[in-house]
Amino acid sequence: MSFERIKPHFPWITLVVLILIVGIANPSFFDPAGLLTLVSDVVPLFIMALGMTFAIYIGGIDLSVQQLANLVTVIATVYLAEFGIAVAVIAIVAGFAIGVISGFVTTRLYVPSFVSTLAMGFVALSAAKFLSGQRALYMDAELRDASFGWMFGNTAGIPHELAIAVVLLVVAWFLQTRTTFGRALKAVGSGELAAIASGLNVDRVKILAFAISGVFAAIAGLLFSVKLSGGDANLANGFLLLAIVAVLVGGTPLTGGVGGVVNTAIGTLIVMVIRSAMVYLEIDATQQQMVFGIVLIAAIALTIDRSKLRGVVK
Amino acid sequence: MYELRQVDKHFPGVHALKAVDFKVNRHEIVGLVGENGAGKSTLMKVIYGAYQPDGGDVLIDGTVVRFQNPRMAMDHGIGMVFQEQSLILNLTVMENIFLGYEQQFVKLGVIDWKAMSEAARRQLAKVKLDIDPAMTTSDLSFAQRQLVELAKVLTLEERIDGDLVILLDEPTSVLAQEEVELLFSLVRDLTKRASFIFVSHRMEEVLELSDRIYVMKDGAVVDVVAHDGADKDAIQHKMVGRDVDKEYYREQKQKPYDEDKVLVRFDGVSSGNRYTDISFALHPGEVLCLVGTEGSGREAILRTIFGLETPTKGQVTIKGETISRFTAQNGVKLGVGYTPRERKIEGIVAGMNVYENMTLSQMGNYASAGVLKVNEEKSLARTWIERLGIKTPDVYKDCGGLSGGNQQKVVLAKWRSAGADIMLLDHPTRGLDIGAKEDVYEMIREMCAAGVGVVLVADTLEEAIGLSHTIIVLKDGAFQKRFDGKPGSKPSLYDLVHHMI
Amino acid sequence: MTDITAQSAPGARFLTRERIIKWTPLLVLVFLVLLFPFFEWLEDFGAGKEHMYLADSRFFSIRNAARIFIAATPALMVAIGVTFIIIMGSIDLSMEGTVSVCAVIFAFAFIGWGGTLASWAWLAIPVALLVGAALGFINGLVHVRLKIPSFMASLAMGFVGTGLALLLTGGDRIRVEDELFRSLLTVRWFNFPIMVYVAAVMLLIAWFIQSRTTLGRNFYAVGGGEELAHASGLNVNRVRIMGFTLAGVFFAVGALLAVGRIGIAETATGNNFMFVSITSVVVGGTALWGGIGGVWNTLVGVLIVNVINNGMVVIGLPNFLQDGVLGILVILAVVLSTDRKSVSFVK
């Protein structure tokens, strides 16, 4: 097997190697219950990264996801009493709408997605501050359990959270690989001009990609809100960069068209392993952030497939 | 003084240069001709240091040299005037001229703009161009940029003590006749100081300017002709490997078109300043060729038919339907297929495989409720791979890794399989080797026989004449002349050139 | 011959599309500066109070201008640094980490060596600049040598920087209370504190680098056509690494001004610089794909963002609305300053 053939497999090889290193250094890492908890904890981040993958896959980026998730935590908390489980619908519609607006601003007004999604994030933040009255809000425990308690049960030892993540991954994977939309996404990401010259409605594809990113961010926010039983305009802060990192480390480069949602699953697990490894390897809390950064550089250097980065590396 | 001995160059799957011997003497102008894909551009890249040969030697004055990059070649007096404009448009003219060599104008870390400007003026004077060196390059015309490129390379004169070798890659393609003559007299003047390697598609120009002509075919030098002994037909014969005749363009298969039906009609259509007041009609079975120089509006007309450009005036009718919304989706729906010039960027999607590319314009036909029927896609791809003889290991092959000819066939299969009956071909044979070109010509004839109307922007005038039923000559976006091209009574090259410039 | 030179180049006309678009960011700034006093006037007019437009404005006053400038200077330094990178068509997201590290190391060195500018502690300033340069240099090396796109390389370097700052401080805040150093903020010449003049000098230096040095011009060459620049013999990798190093120095200056403004150095000193600075650069009219724009654009962009922020407070816009309004105005500013004819598609 030549080097060229192994390259696309680097992300998961990196993951396995990391797991082995941590596991050998501290065998308690392999404790199944502990692993399950670790994986469940990373689910909201994973869902956010899953959505982000669509934006990055077309060569754009979505910086609004964190604020969007914040907004959704507030929406869920404020309207839970009134709408019950239907609050999920409101959340998803909000995510979709903000994604569509970002996409519209990007494609029709020629504002780079870096700026348009950032700006839409500010708009979402405003809405979150307005709805929450700039206070941390708490859900009524009974109401929460009645509507969303099912999210956090266990069936046959599998946390429901994890099941939700797997279902969403399968849905995203199906969208990406089996539908005309997914094919169009790939065409836009790999060769936008050729997609245009083939008569694809490129603008619509892009707008939808941002909309999907918004929907996933909303689901992540909802999960987060239920998990922490509350809402706050700052609840999901710190997730944006991690979500981007998860996508990139998984092997979906910013240039688009390469990688995909399965890569993001691997990328999220890599991020998770690095972070938890520092706990297992008893690295001092003040050192963790720096170690994370350094390991991240190494992981990115290993996982990106440079032959797929067409043209110059900018 | 400059010499290549037995130079070899391989790329994955291609033997691009086969034991090439090449020599340039002092004060000499050497012509280099060959079909697209014959290895000219690879050879040039070896000469100016962008590629390193796998075998053989590069010698200057008898010493073996090895260039790691273009800069090293430049330091040995070898400069390149690029065909595709190599000036950086957001910089000023003088910055472009001295790019990478600004140090001479730096005093205490500060660029002396005045000194640079004066030096730039001296360089521009060499090419007799009187413009302000502080102008932004994007504000220049194409012809001016070409001269600035030459001026830039001529800075080697001051920098290098030894001899100069200057490569001119298709320098005349954007120039008008007077400008070509000016360029030629400049080049002749400059042979006092430099040798030139002149690469051009225009055989007459090569014959006129060169002292010796190297003829390349399939990566090898097949002949070297002296100026006096040069004969156009003989050289062309060597380039192609046999006579370029009616057979080549499949003229015997050119059948009269159906005059009663109209596929596309333009009535006094204008689009901004790209083209004005254009009228024509395209019929089933017709090859209509748009001829003109770069920027004459040919491509813009194609893009209008496809729906990528909205005209500002006039009426476009496709199959009896007057178009009001110009979108590519609409064009595809009406059965228009578009084969763009930039095959690798606009034609195929590199990174997607053969069947994905083939169904890209017609995914709806291979999906139900948005879910793709991949097996049907694959069988479609297999059918067309066989039908057009596309050389690919399987349907999963990344189209970016196919050869140019096979990429083009994938693009054509994409439209043909979707049932497009108006085909817009922009330089469909650009960069293809002879065999692949002939395949494309064959396909054009087949399409016509099947009642498809073709609008063609050809790679060469010969191709335009050979293939077309109708030729429309454009100049600066305006209609000049219409020629009928029935087999046996085709217009001559001269007829066309006369109206083009 | 005459044919070639006599052609009137499109640039010869006075009011071209390009020129108008080039000046749009400044027009937006002027418009905003006139807009906020209008709201004030409107409010007083509605309340029946005497109010002369501009003259009675709290927004349009020297005191408020100083406030805007003070808030803008650290961000301006960081934004200038990233401007060079964006002109090259790359991006640098490491500023938050770099600013924090520089601030913290500066504070430690400053206090350790005497704690006042009147002692050897002034050496902490060049040390901070060197640290910024070193971080930028490493960032450039990681990007160029490991062939990692600058977005990812600098993002990860940002994490390393923040982590390093955290490691150094252990999460503590370091107070820099030297009066001489704090005179950056406290001493005013002609109504403006010294830090504003420092920023102005740095801006002029940046402009000098941009317009009068080989390095500065090479940024434009790389952004305008990297492969062409390479073919012309330019050492593109060297230009890139130098660019990131230079950006690091400006981030360090930003860190010094930030410490001078608040009097505290901590891990969080760098917070919020990333998005604000990049937004400012883009709003000022420097395109993310490189080749156009410059430090004056960035000045205008930083001022636009800060004027919006300040103006919203002055006219009493509810706090929760301010982020959203900023977002919308940023989109508008970018829309107005983009030449849509020159972009084929945007991602």
Side-chain angles (χ1 to χ4, degrees):
Chain A
M1 203 168 177
S2 71
F3 188 68
E4 289 295 316
R5 303 260 312 261
I6 306 177
K7 264 190 190 165
H9 303 292
F10 272 173
W12 69 261
I13 293 174
T14 308
L15 175 62
V16 170
V17 170
L18 277 173
I19 290 176
L20 287 179
I21 292 175
V22 182
I24 289 166
N26 187 342
S28 67
F29 180 70
F30 286 128
D31 170 39
L35 273 180
L36 271 185
T37 318
L38 273 184
V39 175
S40 314
D41 281 347
V42 85
V43 165
L45 172 68
F46 169 65
I47 294 173
M48 205 182 266
L50 207 52
M52 174 83 73
T53 312
F54 285 90
I56 294 184
Y57 197 59
I58 58 161
I61 195 153
D62 189 347
L63 302 180
S64 67
V65 289
Q66 172 181 306
Q67 308 294 10
L68 192 50
N70 280 332
L71 171 62
V72 167
T73 64
V74 173
I75 291 179
T77 312
V78 170
Y79 293 109
L80 180 67
E82 204 170 329
F83 295 103
I85 195 162
V87 86
V89 178
I90 303 175
I92 287 172
V93 168
F96 188 85
I98 288 188
V100 165
I101 299 172
S102 291
F104 189 85
V105 172
T106 302
T107 54
R108 302 290 162 85
L109 302 182
Y110 296 85
V111 176
S113 58
F114 193 101
V115 178
S116 65
T117 56
L118 186 63
M120 284 314 294
F122 282 132
V123 173
L125 177 62
S126 261
K129 280 183 175 174
F130 169 70
L131 278 178
S132 66
Q134 306 191 52
R135 283 172 293 118
L137 307 172
Y138 297 96
M139 284 183 178
D140 181 273
E142 250 171 65
L143 284 174
R144 179 191 74 151
D145 292 341
S147 298
F148 294 108
W150 54 272
M151 277 185 176
F152 294 98
N154 265 306
T155 305
I158 308 286
H160 289 174
E161 245 181 311
L162 192 57
I164 294 171
V166 171
V167 167
L168 287 176
L169 174 63
V170 169
V171 169
W173 177 82
F174 185 82
L175 260 181
Q176 182 203 320
T177 58
R178 286 280 178 264
T179 65
T180 53
F181 169 67
R183 183 69 60 73
L185 276 181
K186 188 172 181 184
V188 171
S190 329
E192 175 151 0
L193 291 171
I196 294 170
S198 296
L200 293 188
N201 192 337
V202 169
D203 283 358
R204 197 172 65 193
V205 172
K206 285 188 185 171
I207 292 173
L208 266 176
F210 287 106
I212 290 178
S213 178
V215 166
F216 277 83
I219 296 174
L222 185 65
L223 212 61
F224 213 58
S225 166
V226 175
K227 199 168 177 165
L228 300 182
S229 197
D232 182 349
N234 305 308
L235 201 62
N237 281 7
F239 269 55
L240 172 62
L241 296 181
L242 280 182
I244 296 175
V245 164
V247 176
L248 300 182
V249 173
T252 306
L254 288 158
T255 40
V258 183
V261 294
V262 176
N263 292 68
T264 297
I266 295 169
T268 313
L269 291 176
I270 291 178
V271 170
M272 179 203 82
V273 172
I274 299 177
R275 299 228 99 166
S276 54
M278 293 193 281
V279 179
Y280 279 93
L281 302 182
E282 290 167 6
I283 290 172
D284 189 63
T286 55
Q287 297 174 10
Q288 287 189 5
Q289 172 86 353
M290 194 168 93
V291 174
F292 178 69
I294 293 171
V295 177
L296 195 61
I297 292 177
I300 293 174
L302 279 175
T303 53
I304 55 168
D305 184 352
R306 291 170 186 79
S307 63
K308 294 279 173 66
L309 297 173
R310 281 172 300 278
V312 281
V313 179
K314 284 210 159 168
Chain B
M1 51 163 242
Y2 181 89
E3 201 177 344
L4 298 177
R5 272 193 207 147
Q6 297 290 308
V7 162
D8 257 304
K9 182 74 191 171
H10 293 262
F11 293 111
V14 193
H15 193 173
L17 291 180
K18 300 170 187 160
V20 170
D21 283 316
F22 187 86
K23 201 171 174 211
V24 185
N25 299 313
R26 265 189 198 96
H27 316 307
E28 193 181 36
I29 302 174
V30 175
L32 178 61
V33 297
E35 291 272 66
N36 285 321
K40 282 178 306 183
S41 53
T42 312
L43 181 63
M44 282 190 287
K45 283 184 172 160
V46 167
I47 294 174
Y48 77 84
Y51 287 165
Q52 286 75 48
D54 312 327
D57 289 318
V58 182
L59 296 95
I60 292 181
D61 294 328
T63 358
V64 176
V65 287
R66 206 173 157 77
F67 303 140
Q68 297 300 331
N69 51 46
R71 174 99 184 199
M72 280 180 73
M74 269 185 251
D75 292 340
H76 283 85
I78 294 163
M80 169 84 181
V81 178
F82 290 89
Q83 159 192 20
E84 272 151 37
Q85 306 271 338
S86 78
L87 301 178
I88 299 178
L89 297 182
N90 62 333
L91 300 186
T92 60
V93 170
M94 56 180 165
E95 284 180 274
N96 264 305
I97 291 178
F98 293 108
L99 186 62
Y101 296 92
E102 302 93 343
Q103 216 49 46
Q104 52 187 314
F105 305 107
V106 176
K107 281 183 209 141
L108 302 171
V110 187
I111 299 178
D112 183 348
W113 287 122
K114 244 175 104 185
M116 189 191 273
S117 167
E118 275 161 26
R121 240 178 239 288
R122 281 196 296 280
Q123 295 302 328
L124 291 170
K126 288 183 194 169
V127 296
K128 305 196 168 62
L129 189 59
D130 181 25
I131 53 172
D132 180 1
M135 267 175 86
T136 306
T137 312
S138 56
D139 291 340
L140 299 182
S141 72
F142 281 107
Q144 287 172 323
R145 290 181 206 174
Q146 190 75 54
L147 290 175
V148 171
E149 297 241 17
L150 185 58
K152 174 180 174 178
V153 169
L154 290 175
T155 57
L156 285 173
E157 273 198 271
E158 282 87 27
R159 234 177 10 241
I160 306 294
D161 291 327
D163 299 292
L164 301 183
V165 178
I166 294 173
L167 290 100
L168 302 170
D169 184 14
E170 301 281 353
T172 58
S173 57
V174 295
L175 302 186
Q177 196 61 42
E178 315 88 77
E179 296 165 345
V180 170
E181 273 154 30
L182 168 79
L183 180 74
F184 282 10
S185 69
L186 267 174
V187 168
R188 285 199 193 94
D189 266 2
L190 290 166
T191 51
K192 289 190 212 91
R193 183 64 171 73
S195 312
F196 286 87
I197 301 171
F198 178 59
V199 183
S200 176
H201 267 106
R202 299 185 184 169
M203 193 62 73
E204 289 81 2
E205 294 178 353
V206 178
L207 289 174
E208 185 193 331
L209 193 65
S210 315
D211 300 315
R212 286 186 304 132
I213 299 167
Y214 280 84
V215 185
M216 286 191 76
K217 181 179 183 295
D218 297 336
V221 171
V222 290
D223 200 6
V224 187
V225 227
H227 177 78
D228 302 325
D231 170 67
K232 188 185 158 196
D233 289 342
I235 291 176
Q236 233 152 17
H237 183 94
K238 288 257 170 49
M239 271 166 57
V240 181
R242 55 180 170 69
D243 285 319
V244 176
D245 54 8
K246 297 192 170 89
E247 182 76 8
Y248 186 56
Y249 294 114
R250 307 294 188 270
E251 270 178 46
Q252 78 282 10
K253 291 188 180 167
Q254 181 172 338
K255 300 285 179 319
Y257 55 83
D258 180 358
E259 288 186 47
D260 303 331
K261 271 175 71 184
V262 175
L263 290 172
V264 179
R265 184 187 294 284
F266 265 46
D267 276 317
V269 183
S270 307
S271 176
N273 51 9
R274 281 184 288 282
Y275 60 86
T276 41
D277 198 20
I278 300 293
S279 304
F280 64 83
L282 176 75
H283 308 89
E286 180 181 12
V287 177
L288 184 142
C289 196
L290 302 173
V291 167
T293 54
E294 200 77 19
S296 59
R298 307 170 303 187
E299 287 82 3
I301 292 174
L302 290 191
R303 295 177 83 83
T304 305
I305 303 174
F306 190 59
L308 290 174
E309 200 166 314
T310 305
T312 43
K313 237 171 49 195
Q315 197 175 46
V316 178
T317 319
I318 297 180
K319 293 179 184 163
E321 186 180 317
T322 304
I323 309 297
S324 53
R325 270 191 70 233
F326 286 81
T327 64
Q329 292 88 59
N330 201 20
V332 172
K333 212 161 48 195
L334 287 165
V336 183
Y338 175 44
T339 307
R341 175 207 292 227
E342 301 293 340
R343 186 171 48 240
K344 285 181 194 319
I345 301 168
E346 290 192 83
I348 56 134
V349 180
M352 285 175 64
N353 64 34
V354 176
Y355 72 81
E356 288 173 334
N357 264 293
M358 261 188 212
T359 56
L360 194 55
S361 63
Q362 44 167 338
M363 281 190 288
N365 299 338
Y366 293 88
S368 54
V371 180
L372 288 161
K373 300 180 208 155
V374 178
N375 283 328
E376 287 183 27
E377 289 185 90
K378 287 179 199 161
S379 73
L380 168 93
R382 289 199 186 97
T383 313
W384 282 86
I385 286 172
E386 194 177 343
R387 202 166 145 187
L388 302 182
I390 301 174
K391 291 194 194 78
T392 168
D394 50 44
V395 294
Y396 304 106
K397 172 84 179 169
D398 177 355
C399 270
L402 297 178
S403 74
N406 287 309
Q407 288 178 344
Q408 197 66 300
K409 286 179 185 174
V410 170
V411 177
L412 288 167
K414 169 171 80 183
W415 295 116
R416 292 288 290 136
S417 65
D421 52 6
I422 299 167
M423 282 299 293
L424 314 173
L425 308 178
D426 190 355
H427 292 79
T429 58
R430 190 177 220 224
L432 302 188
D433 59 29
I434 308 283
K437 275 189 187 178
E438 288 188 275
D439 284 346
V440 170
Y441 299 149
E442 190 74 41
M443 282 169 70
I444 291 176
R445 294 301 181 210
E446 271 170 25
M447 287 192 279
C448 286
V452 173
V454 176
V455 184
L456 173 74
V457 174
D459 206 25
T460 60
L461 286 178
E462 286 91 345
E463 189 176 285
I465 296 165
L467 287 173
S468 54
H469 296 82
T470 312
I471 292 177
I472 289 176
V473 182
L474 302 163
K475 182 184 165 190
D476 298 333
F479 172 83
Q480 299 295 312
K481 180 96 180 145
R482 184 178 184 281
F483 291 95
D484 255 330
K486 288 200 182 64
S489 64
K490 299 229 171 205
S492 74
L493 265 177
Y494 177 80
D495 293 335
L496 298 185
V497 173
H498 181 69
H499 291 282
M500 277 164 66
I501 47 183
Chain C
M1 183 66 231
T2 46
D3 229 338
I4 302 180
T5 49
Q7 274 166 350
S8 77
R13 273 179 295 136
F14 183 67
L15 269 184
T16 58
R17 278 179 53 79
E18 290 78 20
R19 279 186 198 208
I20 296 171
I21 284 160
K22 202 175 140 191
W23 289 100
T24 321
L26 192 60
L27 293 177
V28 169
L29 178 60
V30 170
F31 173 74
L32 284 169
V33 167
L34 297 177
L35 179 72
F36 287 113
F38 175 74
F39 279 121
E40 289 180 80
W41 175 83
L42 205 63
E43 197 191 337
D44 280 356
F45 181 77
K49 274 194 245 168
E50 187 97 345
H51 185 121
M52 206 173 118
Y53 179 63
L54 289 185
D56 290 337
S57 165
R58 275 162 296 137
F59 173 85
F60 196 81
S61 63
I62 300 223
R63 178 192 283 264
N64 196 46
R67 215 174 281 139
I68 291 174
F69 285 149
I70 292 168
T73 45
L76 176 65
M77 293 300 102
V78 174
I80 285 176
V82 79
T83 303
F84 293 128
I85 308 295
I86 293 179
I87 287 173
M88 288 195 291
S90 301
I91 200 153
D92 190 342
L93 305 179
S94 68
M95 57 280 275
E96 297 192 353
T98 306
V99 166
S100 297
V101 172
C102 292
V104 167
I105 290 185
F106 165 75
F108 276 132
F110 190 77
I111 289 166
W113 293 340
T116 170
L117 269 188
S119 67
W120 282 110
W122 67 268
L123 277 174
I125 293 175
V127 164
L129 300 183
L130 276 178
V131 168
L135 287 174
F137 182 73
I138 296 172
N139 192 5
L141 274 187
V142 168
H143 160 47
V144 169
R145 294 286 164 226
L146 297 181
K147 291 199 172 64
I148 301 176
S150 57
F151 188 102
M152 299 189 219
S154 61
L155 185 61
M157 275 302 291
F159 285 126
V160 174
T162 312
L164 183 60
L166 183 65
L167 182 64
L168 291 170
T169 60
D172 294 336
R173 298 171 145 205
I174 308 142
R175 294 190 179 278
V176 178
E177 284 161 335
D178 173 35
E179 277 188 20
L180 208 50
F181 180 69
R182 291 302 306 281
S183 64
L184 273 176
L185 179 71
T186 51
V187 174
R188 294 190 180 222
W189 298 333
F190 305 106
N191 297 313
F192 293 103
I194 296 176
M195 62 190 292
V196 173
Y197 296 96
V198 172
V201 169
M202 290 310 293
L203 175 67
L204 290 175
I205 291 176
W207 176 54
F208 177 81
I209 292 172
Q210 170 192 305
S211 61
R212 301 302 291 255
T213 67
T214 315
L215 182 65
R217 299 316 299 170
N218 285 348
F219 292 151
Y220 285 89
V222 171
E226 170 151 3
E227 276 155 357
L228 302 176
H230 182 69
S232 294
L234 202 68
N235 187 340
V236 172
N237 283 344
R238 196 172 142 262
V239 173
R240 281 190 182 290
I241 293 176
M242 303 256 300
F244 280 93
T245 310
L246 184 64
V249 173
F250 275 93
F251 296 165
V253 177
L256 293 178
L257 294 183
V259 174
R261 185 162 82 105
I262 320 169
I264 293 170
E266 57 176 331
T267 315
T269 305
N271 283 7
N272 298 324
F273 272 110
M274 184 201 296
F275 292 129
V276 168
S277 58
I278 291 175
T279 305
S280 305
V281 171
V282 175
V283 167
T286 300
L288 277 175
W289 43 89
I292 35 177
V295 295
W296 293 113
N297 292 74
T298 297
L299 173 68
V300 171
V302 168
L303 287 178
I304 288 178
V305 170
N306 279 281
V307 160
I308 294 173
N309 272 330
N310 174 284
M312 287 191 299
V313 176
V314 170
I315 65 169
L317 210 61
N319 176 288
F320 67 85
L321 270 181
Q322 290 177 8
D323 298 292
V325 172
L326 177 68
I328 290 165
L329 289 177
V330 161
I331 290 179
L332 280 180
V334 174
V335 167
L336 287 174
S337 57
T338 309
D339 184 356
R340 247 157 281 186
K341 279 196 175 155
S342 70
V343 240
S344 53
F345 57 84
V346 167
K347 280 183 176 169

